[in-house]
Structure formats: C-alpha cells, structure tokens
Amino acid sequence: MSPRDWKADEDLLRLFQTIGRASLLCDIQDSHSGNMAVKVRNAAGVEEMAITATGSQKGDLDAGQICFLSAGGTDYGYYKASSETDIHQRVLALPGVRASMHAHTKDLTIVTLDDAPKPSPVPDFVPVDPLGRAYLGDHVHVDWFAVPSGSAEMADLIPRRLAGHPATIIQNHGTFARARTLGEAFFLLGVADASGRVVRQAQKLGVDVGALRGRIASDPAAHFPRLPGPYEIEDDGLCDFPEETELLAEFRKAGARIFESRLSPFHTGTMSVRGVRDILYAPKASLPREIGGPLRRLPMASAPSDSAELAVHKAIYAETDFQTVMHVWLPEAEAHSRFRYPGEEGESDKIVPLDAEGGFLYLVIPVLPAEAGEEEIIRNLFDYKIAVVRGGGVWAAGTQSLSEVLHHPSSLREICLYRLGAFERGLDLRKMEPKKAARW
Amino acid sequence: MSDPSFGIHGKILEIDLSAGYVRVRPLDPSLTADYLGGRGLATRLFYEAVDPASDPLGAENVVVLAPSPLIGTSAPTAARGHMVFKSPLTGFLGTSNSGGGWAWSFKATGYDALVVKGRASSPVWIDITPEKVDVLPAGRMWGKDIHALTDELTTGFEPAARPRVLGIGPAGENLVRFAAVANDRNRVYGRCGPGAVWGAKNLKAVRAAGRMKTRVHDKERYQSGYEQAMHLIRQAPVTKRLLREMGTAGLVELINVIGMLPGRNFQDCTHRDEDLEAVSGETIAKTILERAAGCYLCPIGCQRHTRVGGKGEQAEAGEGPEYETVVLMGPVCDIYDLEAITRANYRANELGLDTISFGSTVACAMELAERGLIPPAELAGLELRFGRAAVLERLAVETAFRRGAGALLADGSFRLAERYGRPDLSMSVKRLEIPAYDPRASFTQALGYMTSPSGACHLRGGYAVSLAFFGGWKEIPRFSLLQSPIAIRNMQNHGILQDSLGVCRFTGYAFGSEPWSRMLAGATGLDFSVARLEEISNRVAALERLFNLEAGAGKLDDALPPRFAETPIIVAGEERAVSVEIQERMRRDYYEVRGWDAEGRPRPDLLGRLRIAGRRP
Ligand code: SF4
C-alpha cells in the first residue's frame, strides 16, 4: 500500500463526472452501474490507472470516488475500486488503449439475450445500422459467463475480445468498450446501444432481421454507401466563432437536445448554420450540455478534405436558400426504413404520421434508398424539409434557425414511436393512415 | 362568359388613359410560371411597361395591379391584391399590398392583371364587369373622401352582387406623396404613395364586379395543403388568439418588452409603462373596440372596428388603429392619447393617407420645430412639439388638402427635413419612412429596412420581428451578423411569395411555403414545387433590384439614417446601435447572398439563371 493523495485533479474529476452524468441521461446506466477507467500520468511521470469506485453513483461522483492504481501493481485504491478493476486494468494494457468503460446498454443487451440452455455459445451481434457498421464492425462478440460480473473468466476473455474489437458484449449484463479517450469509449457504448435499439425496434415492427442481415452481408457497400468517417478525438474544445454568442448558445441548445432526446448517439450527427462565405459547423452534433465538441467555421466552397456529411451540407447550401441543416442517426427512423406493411411487397418508401401533430406537420416523410444522392436528398428537403435515407441517417433543413431544423427529427422520433406503439398493439396502420397519404 | 382555367384566365386588361384605349391582351403562360401572380406578375408587367426615368407623377408612370392564381379559391386570406408603380415618395419601385375584396372581385371579372397607363385629361373612373370595361367621367366624385366614394359607387346593388371599389381620397387628388389607394373603405394600399400616382393620372376609382369562380384542378392535393394551413393557423398563438383578440396593436407592449418600440422620432425606445398601456391592444379591446373582423376570406381577423367619443356629438366610429398607426402617430410623436390617435386614423382612412409615413413625418416636423429649425410663421399658427395630441387630427386633414402646416408635411419626412437643412432627421430609407420596429434592436430588421426594394418597409424588407419574438421554432438571434443576411433574404423571399400568392403576411406566423405549394399546385395543376417557388422569389427580388438600379438607386441608398449608427439604445441592458461598419458588412454580405456584385448589381450569371433580361448592362 502506497500513500496517496485521494484528490483527483479537477480536470480528471470533471471528465468522470460529466461522462457519468451523460451516460445516465442516455440511459445506459442505472444509478450505480458500470465503471470507467483511464490511464493517467502521475506527478512523478509514472502511468497509473484511475477508475471509478465500486458502488459509486456515476451521476454524482466526488473526488474520493476516483481510485488510483499504479499500472503495474496494486495499492490502497485497489480495495475501493470497481469490482471489474482487473478487467479494466488488462484492457488498459492493450496497445494504444487509454480508456475503458463498461455500461448497461439495455437495448443491445436485450437483443442479445437468448433462452438456450447454458453453457452454450452465443451468436455474435450483427449491426444492421450504419453507425454500428462504421464503428463496431460487421459483428460484435457476445459471451456468456457463469459469473457475469467481475469474474476471473471475464478478466481473461474480455481483454482478448477487445484486442480485436472496439466493444464486446457480456450476455445479460452489458457492454465493454476500449478507446483512446474516455469520451471515445462513451461514444462507442452510445453507438452500440443505438445499434441494439435499431434491431429491437425493427423486430417489433415485424422486420425479418435475420433476412436483412443476410442481404447486408451479401453486399454491405450497397446498403451503406456513405458511412461516417473515423471518430476524431482532437479538438473537442475548439470553437471558431466565439464572437457569435447568440448562435453559439443555439448550437449548444440544439446539441444538448439531440443528445438528451436520443435523436443521435453521443458525438454523432452534424448540424450547421450557413453564413455568406462560410458555414458554422458542428461535426459532432449530439452534445451533452457539459461536454463539448468542435464548433467550426469552414469555407462554403467544397474541399477534397470534406467528410461525406459535410459535403452534403455544402451541397444543400449551394443548391437552396436553406439556412440550417441537420443530419442525425435516429435509431427509430433507421428501424422504420426497413418496415414492410404486412402482406405488401418491399420496404415502405415513406413514414406516414398517425398522430395529429405529426400529421399536420408532415403528410408523409420520405424514405429514400441507400444510394440516394445529394440531388435526391435536396429535392426531398424542398418538399418535406426532412428525409430519411435508408442506411444513411435523417437529413433535415430549415429556412431560418437551428431550433427549426431540430424540430424535424424530433417530431420524426415521436411519429416513429406512435407508429411502433400502434403496430405492437396489433392495430392496422394502413387503416389508420390518411387515405391520401398513399399518393404522396 | 369564359370559364377560368384553374386559377389563371390568361388575360391582361390594359387601359391607356391618355390614348383612351382599353385592350385585352393574352397573358404569356411563361409569365405565370416564372412570376406567379400578385407582386411577381405585377412587377414583371410594370418592368416591361415603364421607363425607369419616368416622372412618378407624370403620364409615363404605369400602375399594375394583380391578383394571384389562388384568389377565388378558399385558401386562407387569399384575396389580397398587389400594386406596383414608380413611387413619388422614393423615386424608386413603389410596391404595395392590401387585403379587402377588390382583388377577388377583379379577378372574378376574368383578368389576371390590370395595367393602367397615361393620364386622363380630366378625372375618370373605370368600371369593370365580366362583360365590359368602361372609362367614365369622375368629375362629380373628385373631392370626395374614400367612404363617400365607395358609397356612391356601390349603392343600388343587391348585397350578393355588390361591386368592390378601389379608389383615392383628397390626399391622392392633391398628390400627397404618401397618399394611399383604398378598397372596402378602409383596406389600403398604403406605402410608397400610390394614391398620388392615381391622382396624377386623374384616376379616382376602379370598380370591379366579378362573379366567376376559380376552379381547382386537383382537389385532393389542394385540400391537403388547405387543411394543413388551417390547422396551423388555428394552432399558432398569434394567428389563433393574439391578432383576433387584440388586433395588431396587441404587439405594442410586446414589442416594448423586447426594446424595439420607438419613441420621439426614434430618439430612444423608452416609455413609461402606464403611457404604453393607454395605447395598447388590451386597452383598445377594453375601451373603444366594437368588433373584430377580417379581410375577405381571412380566418385570422385582425381588423378593429372601433368607436370613440362615447355617445355624444363627438362620437364617431371607424376602423383602427393598427399597431403601426398606434406607434407612429403615438409614441413616435410622444403621444399616448388613444382617442386622438384613433380620430386621426379615421381621417387618414377617409382622406387616403399612409399612416406610417404620416405619423413619422409629423414626428420629424415636431423634432425640427423643437430644434427651432422650422420658423413658426411657416407652421400657420400651429404649435408643433412632441406630445401635442391635439395636432394630429388637424394635421391629417391639412396634409391631405396640402394646406396650413400640412402643406409642409405632404411631401414626406425626407423632403421636409431636407428643406430645413437636416435630412438626417428623417427616419427613412430611400425616403420611405421606417415602420414601428426600431432597427437598433435587431440587426436582421435593420438589414431588412436597408435592402427593402421599396425603402424602409417591414413587409417588403422582411418582417424580422415576427422571428425575433414570435418565431417559435424559427426564432433567430437578433444580433447575429452571420445569420442576418441570409435570414432577411429568406424572410424577404417568403414575403415575395405571400404577396405573389395574394395572401396575408400574418399566415407566416403559422406556416411556411409547403402548404402554399400544395394549394397552388392543386389549384392550377401546374408545377409549383417549393423549389420552384423559391426560384420565383429570387427572380422577383432580382427584377425589383434591376428596376431600382435603372431608376438611379445605388449602394448608398441601402443605408439607415445616421441616428441609428450614432445614438445607441439599450436592449436587454446592452447598448445597441447599427454602426456604419456593421451596415457595410451586412450590406456586403447581403449582396453576396443575393448574387449581386459589390455595388449591389445582380450579376450576369444570376440574371441568366433566372432568365431575366435587363434593359441596361
Ligand atoms: S390577418 Fe388581418 S390583415 Fe391579414 S388578411 Fe386577416 S384581417 Fe386582413
């Protein structure tokens, strides 16, 4: 046991606190579940591990609930630290890994449950959504453990799983992710849970997910022609337009709403406001109130370095008078884009609101094929202000404000939930939809 | 009687008062596709017919009035007409819009536009029915106020067959540069002085007695837009409640809350609460309101039918005051006397004066007088200073007849202030007086006034305050230099669309272009997608700009009076002004957003894309 000052420094404490609170907000933890660990360098320049204390409330961490362990051994903190410390310690020992996090990703956990006699092998989880494919790969391991919490078996297998994959699933328990930063680990867990939500909702909507997985496996590029780029860990604190104080506040409000209303997982999606020669652009639109993301001022002219999403923002501005654009990865919309009406051929090319509010805002919301190009997206934004691209997220445009453009995916989420609820109750959606919607 | 083909008759009625001819010419279908109707079509027909160098009060000026393809359907508020002319107040584009039933009735006679050229040798009026068009002597009507004129031309008809009258009062006859043209007695084409143009043409009135119905091509498509529009109108607080219960004057206290309500010729925006309460929409509703009503086909109903003076001899009834009237004739003149404002408003309606320009010109005169710049002898015995409510009604009458101190006011605030060596004391842009929203409290509104094609008009320049306070999810920052140019361009474009559809600006509180697109496409059977409508708005904006450039406007005309740069007001605890540098930056960015060059000239590639052939390089 080595003497140790228990005070975590302020930056580290804030990091754990904000991610802890954010993970509760997006519902991937219960009051005390999960754990977070990072590698830090102490005052003497020696690397050690900081990890949340066992049984701590991740939404209300104080400095005494961050435990420090030297990377090579144990000290006093070991006895207070998470029961899964051994796992994290080994994960953090993987090359390039500086953060590790475990969360109760409920949607993903639910869709990987099975009722087979144990022990028996568990099938991998295969994402059917673009974010899952981009960041988790074409499969994620799911493992059953006799003691699925803090066991030696877990400490043995999980680091090995994470050596080849960014995340791995413990059946009946949740997900572990490893990353370069704690923010990235949280990002991966958010993506993983959203990926589970897409599958879960698609199943509820009667989609044959097995067949869908088969189709995707046979031609993944056709299903996801425009996957998002790698997760960037630099520049989260960057703001290129501090002088635009009112707009800055608008970005932060909209970003927080995207995150809290789960319109797009943490640090995914993009939003922009157009200027005259430049655009103000948030490449990580889903922003919890306490966690930043880069806010960029970029030239309006397209550049070879533009990401696929940024290129669409710029194309929309080049072709239209819209002032704001948003792109989110809304799980409800992705699941709905695979919906087939019972007894009808093919995936539906529109989402028809059943609720009064949705019905008056949008007669229908178009669902475009995965290969839809900028031109088709723009044409639909003119007429509907919002469009779902199967395997490509949700695009929305506004004539004036960020708040206006935010309203579109937010309404769409409700529209999808009402439809899902009605379908689950065995109601006939066709009968409930306005007749004229079939023509739009 | 021909059967109108789904919203468009394909006919333009052209009358030359000098040559004495009436002719009907076909409407090129491409003009409807490219300019729609209302403001767009009227601007296009005006542009091709007028010499931009013409004297606005000469025979060469041309007046074009156009309803829209939607008029005659059930589309909410779709009964408004638009008038385009060269303004005698600004010397640039005159463009003015009004509710009332005249545009509906005119369209129902079988025409898509009325073009009036030349000048009659003596006063005339025009009578239009589906069967014939007559130009008739108006000698005995000359001198009548608008109400008497309307009565004279509508008596003897069954209510169902009653024609609609559009005409001028004494202010127009006396060439007051901000004289209005009115229909349905109190619905006015107020801004830019169309009444003086009519007066100069010796045109007293145009009566229309149409009965044709507008057929709808695709009922289901039309109905989907209609139902959505009606739902949103009934849902949005401003359209379902505020405007009906309190009229536009319901804005008085709200605009004050956001620090935007001007006082004392825009010297500041500070008012005592009890003063403002005395002229607020709530007070109007509690004290002088007899009933609320709406323009033809309007489900919103912001009109105020009022009565002042109790039951005695001094009692009288009329319409108004609206928000702009309350503020321009009220706090801008440091007057908080509701009865005085209302009586002056009644006179302005009868005699045909634009209440915004009138109120602002009175305020300008008050400031000039207080500064000792107007010799008392020139005021014909009138004691003119801020806060003197007693002068309002008298000045309205004297201005309309160009007599007494009113003779000084009749050419508007700019010419008045210029005459006394202080043009900077005219609160106008392009010589058109600024409405009742102080530009220092919103950069977006400031830029709207600067770049409005008609001069400082909140309706043509972009009704930014509707976003600043009631925007709901479209609410935008008021002081964003980055967002203002695009926000105001988009607002102006939506205004062009509304004016070209013949619908009310207030529908914008409830919804944007999509329901209109469906109603219009459903009614006409033509492609009027939202993208197409956006293109039309950009085309009309470019054409309006071209006319102004040809009429001599330049970059320096797109600027606010110096007061707004030099004298800050306090908004939410912060000093706010629109400095020259801010104006320059916003103007430069706005030009760029519009596709205009650094001097504000639409670039050739823009004109090519929009298929506009200008007269001059
Ligand atoms: S809202 Fe008022 S101005 Fe507009 S059409 Fe209705 S009554 Fe007329």
Side-chain angles (χ1 to χ4, degrees):
Chain A
M1 191 162 68
S2 56
R4 161 96 220 172
D5 175 6
W6 274 98
K7 283 260 177 273
D9 75 52
E10 281 204 1
D11 285 349
L12 189 65
L13 177 61
R14 214 182 92 77
L15 175 70
F16 276 83
Q17 286 175 329
T18 50
I19 299 232
R21 281 195 280 269
S23 57
L24 278 158
L25 274 174
C26 66
D27 202 20
I28 59 170
Q29 302 290 23
D30 69 27
S31 59
H32 293 74
S33 70
N35 27 70
M36 299 175 265
V38 293
K39 268 188 200 166
V40 288
R41 201 172 287 279
N42 68 18
V46 176
E47 289 235 302
E48 53 186 13
M49 166 177 162
I51 186 166
T52 45
T54 186
S56 55
Q57 295 185 47
K58 307 305 175 294
D60 299 281
L61 291 167
D62 61 39
Q65 289 168 321
I66 311 294
C67 308
F68 293 86
L69 288 81
S70 62
T74 61
D75 64 12
Y76 174 79
Y78 184 78
Y79 303 104
K80 182 180 171 96
S82 162
S83 56
E84 274 148 358
T85 296
D86 295 348
I87 305 171
H88 288 290
Q89 202 164 23
R90 290 185 198 183
V91 171
L92 288 180
L94 293 169
V97 174
R98 297 196 64 83
S100 155
M101 183 170 173
H102 161 55
H104 289 188
T105 48
K106 284 171 274 298
D107 281 306
L108 183 58
T109 305
I110 289 167
V111 296
T112 53
L113 294 174
D114 67 19
D115 53 5
K118 299 296 175 196
S120 61
V122 186
D124 292 340
F125 171 74
V126 177
V128 297
D129 65 301
L131 286 184
R133 298 288 297 199
Y135 298 111
L136 305 176
D138 57 8
H139 70 283
V140 184
H141 292 293
V142 186
D143 293 296
W144 176 88
F145 294 95
V147 181
S149 178
S151 62
E153 292 77 16
M154 288 171 72
D156 173 52
L157 184 58
I158 289 171
R160 285 196 281 124
R161 292 296 195 205
L162 289 179
H165 286 85
T168 193
I169 301 162
I170 321 304
Q171 198 179 34
N172 308 342
H173 190 169
T175 308
F176 273 81
R178 50 84 174 158
R180 294 163 293 175
T181 63
L182 193 58
E184 185 181 23
F186 176 49
F187 161 82
L188 288 167
L189 292 170
V191 165
D193 200 38
S195 191
R197 197 169 323 132
V198 173
V199 168
R200 190 171 173 211
Q201 295 204 359
Q203 285 170 341
K204 289 186 194 180
L205 283 165
V207 174
D208 182 345
V209 174
L212 174 61
R213 283 175 168 147
R215 289 198 301 276
I216 291 172
S218 67
D219 191 354
H223 285 80
F224 305 112
R226 224 191 290 232
L227 287 177
Y231 182 80
E232 308 278 353
I233 56 170
E234 284 88 30
D235 298 338
D236 274 357
L238 191 84
C239 175
D240 292 339
F241 48 94
E243 74 289 355
E244 285 279 354
T245 49
E246 290 174 306
L247 268 176
L248 204 50
E250 292 298 306
F251 269 94
R252 295 206 165 117
K253 258 188 345 198
R257 184 49 46 224
I258 293 171
F259 175 74
E260 289 172 11
S261 294
R262 302 213 262 167
L263 306 182
S264 205
F266 171 69
H267 270 185
T268 65
T270 52
M271 61 179 156
S272 65
V273 172
R274 148 201 231 149
V276 178
R277 276 159 239 96
D278 41 20
I279 69 172
L280 307 187
Y281 182 66
K284 296 174 175 176
S286 180
L287 293 167
R289 286 178 208 278
E290 300 177 304
I291 304 177
L295 295 170
R296 307 302 316 270
R297 183 190 286 270
L298 302 170
M300 182 70 85
S302 60
S305 57
D306 290 345
S307 68
E309 285 188 59
L310 177 57
V312 180
H313 283 255
K314 288 185 175 180
I316 292 170
Y317 291 137
E319 296 298 321
T320 74
D321 287 349
F322 288 126
Q323 172 138 234
T324 50
V325 172
M326 188 174 279
H327 179 237
V328 293
W329 305 94
L330 178 65
E332 286 77 6
E334 185 60 35
H336 255 84
S337 76
R338 305 295 181 185
F339 177 67
R340 293 164 191 251
Y341 286 89
E344 294 181 23
E345 283 295 307
E347 293 163 334
S348 176
D349 61 359
K350 55 181 78 90
I351 297 171
V352 184
L354 302 177
D355 57 304
E357 181 86 11
F360 277 107
L361 289 172
Y362 322 92
L363 198 56
V364 299
I365 289 167
V367 177
L368 310 181
E371 67 275 13
E374 286 160 3
E375 212 175 291
E376 196 171 353
I377 293 171
I378 290 168
R379 203 171 48 244
N380 279 276
L381 289 180
F382 264 128
D383 289 335
Y384 301 95
K385 299 282 185 285
I386 182 166
V388 178
V389 180
R390 198 173 285 124
V394 176
W395 286 96
T399 53
Q400 296 293 3
S401 67
L402 271 181
S403 160
E404 173 192 5
V405 76
L406 166 72
H407 192 233
H408 298 309
S410 186
S411 304
L412 175 57
R413 180 167 184 266
E414 293 214 339
I415 288 166
C416 291
L417 290 175
Y418 285 123
R419 285 178 58 89
L420 176 63
F423 190 80
E424 279 183 301
R425 289 186 50 213
L427 303 177
D428 184 338
L429 300 189
R430 279 288 189 222
K431 280 190 191 159
M432 300 172 78
E433 293 167 358
K435 296 280 162 296
K436 57 197 166 204
R439 291 186 47 206
W440 294 86
Chain B
M1 197 193 310
S2 70
D3 191 9
S5 167
F6 306 120
I8 301 154
H9 299 283
K11 288 193 290 181
I12 298 167
L13 177 61
E14 187 175 298
I15 299 171
D16 189 322
L17 297 174
S18 298
Y21 72 71
V22 173
R23 70 177 176 130
V24 178
R25 59 186 173 95
L27 170 67
D28 178 348
S30 73
L31 289 190
T32 308
D34 285 352
Y35 291 91
L36 190 44
R39 177 171 164 187
L41 179 63
T43 304
R44 179 68 180 81
L45 296 175
F46 169 77
Y47 183 79
E48 72 188 25
V50 80
D51 175 355
S54 64
D55 173 4
L57 297 177
E60 321 88 86
N61 200 353
V62 176
V63 174
V64 183
L65 273 145
S68 92
L70 261 193
I71 289 186
T73 68
S74 60
T77 77
R80 300 180 71 90
H82 202 91
M83 197 183 322
V84 177
F85 48 93
K86 187 173 177 186
S87 166
L89 186 63
T90 68
F92 303 126
L93 188 78
T95 181
S96 199
N97 190 279
S98 176
W102 186 88
W104 178 90
S105 194
F106 169 73
K107 175 160 178 198
T109 61
Y111 305 102
D112 301 301
L114 169 65
V115 179
V116 181
K117 299 177 169 174
R119 175 181 7 219
S121 54
S122 58
V124 295
W125 70 283
I126 300 169
D127 194 22
I128 305 171
T129 67
E131 293 77 26
K132 65 187 176 73
V133 177
D134 290 317
V135 180
L136 302 162
R140 68 195 160 80
M141 297 172 199
W142 206 250
K144 285 197 169 167
D145 72 37
I146 287 164
H147 293 183
L149 172 75
T150 308
D151 291 342
E152 174 163 343
L153 290 176
T154 53
T155 41
F157 290 87
E158 290 298 313
R162 190 166 291 152
R164 305 284 185 151
V165 175
L166 183 64
I168 60 168
E173 295 169 10
N174 293 311
L175 310 185
V176 173
R177 287 181 190 269
F178 48 88
V181 178
N183 72 135
D184 287 1
R185 300 169 75 89
N186 297 306
R187 309 267 72 74
V188 298
Y189 295 81
R191 305 241 65 195
C192 305
V197 179
W198 281 43
K201 290 187 175 305
N202 270 325
L203 176 61
K204 181 69 178 173
V206 181
R207 185 171 76 176
R211 292 180 296 279
M212 289 179 178
K213 296 242 179 326
T214 298
R215 292 191 303 153
V216 169
H217 186 268
D218 177 345
K219 288 205 171 79
E220 200 174 287
R221 191 174 178 80
Y222 170 84
Q223 198 64 18
S224 76
Y226 173 82
E227 282 169 14
Q228 185 182 29
M230 290 302 286
H231 170 81
L232 294 168
I233 283 175
R234 289 189 193 114
Q235 189 199 45
V238 176
T239 48
K240 87 168 167 192
R241 194 179 304 135
L242 176 78
L243 289 169
R244 176 166 286 276
E245 288 174 5
M246 289 197 271
T248 55
L251 295 175
V252 168
E253 293 190 296
L254 295 172
I255 297 301
N256 184 45
V257 165
I258 57 172
M260 220 172 171
L261 194 114
R264 296 169 60 86
N265 202 28
F266 290 81
Q267 293 185 68
D268 55 45
C269 284
T270 51
H271 314 271
R272 296 189 318 165
D273 288 349
E274 57 272 34
D275 285 343
L276 273 190
E277 199 188 332
V279 294
S280 68
E282 293 90 324
T283 301
I284 290 173
K286 277 190 232 145
T287 57
I288 62 171
L289 181 68
E290 286 201 314
R291 67 186 169 90
C295 297
Y296 190 62
L297 272 181
C298 174
I300 303 168
C302 73
Q303 288 175 16
R304 306 289 87 179
H305 292 255
T306 52
R307 171 176 292 276
V308 290
K311 292 203 164 74
E313 254 182 30
Q314 299 299 309
E316 60 174 335
E319 262 195 61
E322 306 294 334
Y323 169 77
E324 307 293 338
T325 309
V326 168
V327 181
L328 269 305
M329 290 192 190
V332 171
C333 297
D334 206 18
I335 290 170
Y336 300 87
D337 179 334
L338 184 58
E339 183 167 334
I341 294 167
T342 307
R343 286 188 193 276
N345 189 174
Y346 291 170
R347 298 293 87 75
N349 289 351
E350 293 155 9
L351 301 170
L353 291 172
D354 171 30
T355 55
I356 297 178
S357 286
F358 170 69
S360 187
T361 305
V362 172
C364 176
M366 286 172 163
E367 185 169 355
L368 289 166
E370 282 200 352
R371 288 173 181 264
L373 295 170
I374 306 183
E378 294 186 24
L379 289 170
L382 192 75
E383 194 193 330
L384 199 56
R385 58 180 155 74
F386 282 116
R388 284 216 67 216
V391 303
L392 274 184
E393 188 178 0
R394 175 177 159 185
L395 276 177
V397 175
E398 290 186 350
T399 301
F401 288 97
R402 280 188 179 269
R403 61 178 189 233
L408 298 176
L409 272 54
D411 289 320
S413 66
F414 186 83
R415 288 174 177 82
L416 171 72
E418 196 178 38
R419 173 180 173 150
Y420 294 106
R422 291 294 301 273
D424 58 303
L425 296 184
S426 163
M427 296 304 119
S428 60
V429 176
K430 298 187 185 73
R431 296 185 279 274
L432 185 71
E433 286 75 13
I434 294 175
Y437 311 95
D438 194 295
R440 286 163 292 196
S442 160
F443 289 165
T444 321
Q445 189 62 71
L447 185 58
Y449 291 152
M450 289 161 61
T451 57
S452 160
S454 56
C457 175
H458 58 306
L459 299 177
R460 281 357 114 205
Y463 194 20
V465 71
S466 67
L467 289 189
F469 193 86
F470 296 112
W473 66 63
K474 290 191 182 179
E475 206 162 301
I476 51 163
R478 279 196 273 160
F479 299 104
S480 169
L481 286 173
L482 180 122
Q483 215 174 349
S484 289
I486 297 157
I488 207 66
R489 186 271 313 267
N490 289 358
M491 294 224 69
Q492 289 173 350
N493 278 4
H494 193 62
I496 291 172
L497 172 64
Q498 290 172 321
D499 290 344
S500 303
L501 287 166
V503 302
C504 181
R505 197 60 94 250
F506 293 144
T507 59
Y509 280 119
F511 59 90
S513 309
E514 310 89 84
W516 290 126
S517 160
R518 272 186 266 136
M519 281 186 269
L520 184 63
T524 60
L526 302 175
D527 168 23
F528 281 117
S529 63
V530 175
R532 186 100 196 219
L533 297 179
E534 191 173 291
E535 184 189 301
I536 289 172
S537 292
N538 282 319
R539 182 177 292 116
V540 175
L543 191 65
E544 290 178 334
R545 181 68 180 180
L546 269 191
F547 177 81
N548 276 343
L549 293 169
E550 291 167 4
K555 191 164 131 174
L556 296 180
D557 294 298
D558 297 339
L560 295 172
R563 172 161 290 166
F564 299 106
E566 292 162 3
T567 312
I569 56 170
I570 305 293
V571 182
E574 269 191 64
E575 283 200 344
R576 295 286 186 181
V578 195
S579 68
V580 170
E581 294 71 37
I582 287 175
Q583 291 184 47
E584 265 169 19
R585 178 179 157 178
M586 290 200 297
R587 186 170 49 219
R588 182 199 65 191
D589 287 356
Y590 173 88
Y591 287 174
E592 193 160 335
V593 165
R594 278 277 181 216
W596 302 349
D597 67 16
E599 296 304 309
R601 292 177 299 235
R603 289 203 172 91
D605 63 317
L606 175 76
L607 297 177
R609 207 159 8 113
L610 296 173
R611 299 188 300 283
I612 296 173
R615 270 182 288 247
R616 292 172 187 75

